[in-house]
Amino acid sequence: METDKTRSDCPVSRTLDVFGDKWSLLIIRDLMFGNKCTYNDFLKSDEGIATNILASRLKGLEENGIIEKSPHPDSKAKIMYKLTTKGIDLLPIIMEIYIWSEKYFPMSAELKAIIKEAKKDKEKFAKQIAKGLKKA
Amino acid sequence: METDKTRSDCPVSRTLDVFGDKWSLLIIRDLMFGNKCTYNDFLKSDEGIATNILASRLKGLEENGIIEKSPHPDSKAKIMYKLTTKGIDLLPIIMEIYIWSEKYFPMSAELKAIIKEAKKDKEKFAKQIAKGLKKA
DNA sequence: AAATTCGCTTGCAATTTGCAAGTGCAAATA
DNA sequence: TATTTGCACTTGCAAATTGCAAGCGAATTT
């Protein structure tokens, strides 16, 4: 998952080099829907990512312009990671993963309800979430 | 990318264990849009997947019910891999990857045109492709 | 002043990858 | 009929990546 592994010029292959990896996708998901934004947030999150892997994925995502660092409002010791526009544009992909996920795995009624809502008008839902992510 | 790495019961995490990996996604993509269906098709395709990795990914995808083997009409020596319904349901995800890809990577005018068409009515496009995949 | 929190880095064993070569069966060719 | 080719893998091995625990410097809290 480091940069520039493919010599393939296939755009999809290049795209998957950027974020087509479980941990990268989970980080992106956490940023979009998990209310998580610091290194420790990601580290402590359910999935159990190892600290060095987290660091390497954050680096990769930043190098590829998907996320960026910014000062955390609470403290100078903290760093806030946030999605760039390029990263926010991944929303529809993550949404479709959730939709597939709901069809094939058990899920809380709460989450099911949100997904049901999202499916009703995907674009509207995406825009709403994107707005929230941009203003932050 | 073998089965059951996560003890996490997060459905998205479990989903990404099934196909959240560059090679798995490229195989799925090849099955959907690449007109590829045999081991050698995948092996010779642009991305340059190693033969052992290909075997392991095919195994994983089969175990997870995304693809299945079937006899090849041309020859008894050949095996035809095809997407199950569960696999075909991944179409919207792959489509969104293409759409993102088109926004951030150079791409042939031909492919751009197809994506433009797909964006006009995603559901219709998906249904069309799904129909083609099911009948085969 | 001391302890804790934060965002990492480092070391190391274990797993996974990538590459090349090989295997066993089916089918086409000589 | 004998032989070569094509197909779907498997195997061996070096190199890279992972997962885990421990450590580290700067900022913050006590």
Side-chain angles (χ1 to χ4, degrees):
Chain A
M1 285 312 307
E2 296 309 299
T3 324
D4 202 37
K5 283 286 177 52
T6 6
R7 262 158 261 88
S8 162
D9 50 18
C10 158
V12 170
S13 194
R14 290 174 67 181
T15 297
L16 297 177
D17 284 331
V18 173
F19 65 79
D21 156 79
K22 185 190 170 183
W23 298 122
S24 303
L25 283 164
L26 284 174
I27 293 168
I28 294 165
R29 192 277 311 261
D30 280 351
L31 281 164
M32 285 176 177
F33 301 108
N35 244 10
K36 292 176 181 136
C37 66
T38 71
Y39 192 91
N40 274 327
D41 286 343
F42 302 129
L43 200 60
K44 283 173 204 152
S45 117
D46 285 345
E47 297 91 22
I49 187 169
T51 175
N52 53 343
I53 306 299
L54 175 56
S56 99
R57 293 303 185 273
L58 288 172
K59 186 164 172 266
L61 289 171
E62 201 189 352
E63 284 171 355
N64 282 295
I66 304 295
I67 61 174
E68 60 188 359
K69 291 180 183 186
S70 68
H72 197 286
D74 287 2
S75 146
K76 242 197 286 184
K78 286 191 184 181
I79 288 173
M80 186 165 72
Y81 287 96
K82 51 198 297 194
L83 290 161
T84 59
T85 303
K86 195 174 171 183
I88 294 172
D89 283 340
L90 295 171
L91 241 173
I93 299 176
I94 307 291
M95 282 172 58
E96 292 297 345
I97 291 175
Y98 268 101
I99 290 169
W100 188 90
S101 186
E102 194 241 336
K103 191 161 182 184
Y104 291 102
F105 287 113
M107 190 179 270
S108 73
E110 193 186 2
L111 187 47
K112 266 177 194 275
I114 295 170
I115 292 173
K116 194 175 169 185
E117 201 55 38
K119 280 203 288 190
K120 269 186 201 157
D121 188 343
K122 291 178 188 177
E123 277 197 43
K124 188 180 152 200
F125 184 89
K127 265 182 192 150
Q128 217 167 29
I129 300 284
K131 211 171 82 183
L133 291 168
K134 266 165 193 161
K135 81 164 186 323
Chain B
M1 284 313 307
E2 295 309 300
T3 324
D4 202 39
K5 281 286 177 50
T6 3
R7 260 157 262 88
S8 163
D9 50 18
C10 158
V12 170
S13 194
R14 290 174 67 181
T15 296
L16 296 178
D17 283 332
V18 175
F19 65 79
D21 155 79
K22 186 191 169 184
W23 298 122
S24 302
L25 283 164
L26 285 175
I27 291 168
I28 293 164
R29 191 277 310 261
D30 279 350
L31 280 165
M32 284 175 176
F33 300 108
N35 244 9
K36 291 174 183 137
C37 66
T38 71
Y39 192 92
N40 274 326
D41 285 344
F42 302 131
L43 200 60
K44 284 173 202 152
S45 115
D46 285 346
E47 298 89 24
I49 187 169
T51 175
N52 53 343
I53 306 301
L54 175 56
S56 99
R57 292 304 184 272
L58 288 172
K59 185 165 173 262
L61 289 171
E62 202 188 351
E63 282 171 356
N64 283 295
I66 305 295
I67 62 173
E68 60 189 359
K69 291 180 184 186
S70 68
H72 197 287
D74 288 1
S75 144
K76 243 197 284 183
K78 285 192 185 180
I79 288 173
M80 187 165 74
Y81 285 96
K82 50 199 295 191
L83 290 160
T84 60
T85 303
K86 194 173 172 184
I88 294 172
D89 284 341
L90 295 169
L91 241 173
I93 300 176
I94 306 292
M95 281 172 57
E96 292 297 345
I97 291 174
Y98 268 101
I99 290 169
W100 188 91
S101 186
E102 193 240 336
K103 193 162 180 181
Y104 291 102
F105 286 113
M107 189 179 272
S108 72
E110 193 187 1
L111 188 48
K112 267 178 195 274
I114 295 171
I115 292 172
K116 196 175 168 186
E117 202 55 38
K119 280 203 288 191
K120 271 186 200 160
D121 188 342
K122 289 178 189 177
E123 277 199 43
K124 187 180 152 202
F125 185 89
K127 265 183 192 150
Q128 218 167 29
I129 300 285
K131 213 172 79 183
L133 291 169
K134 266 165 191 160
K135 81 161 186 324

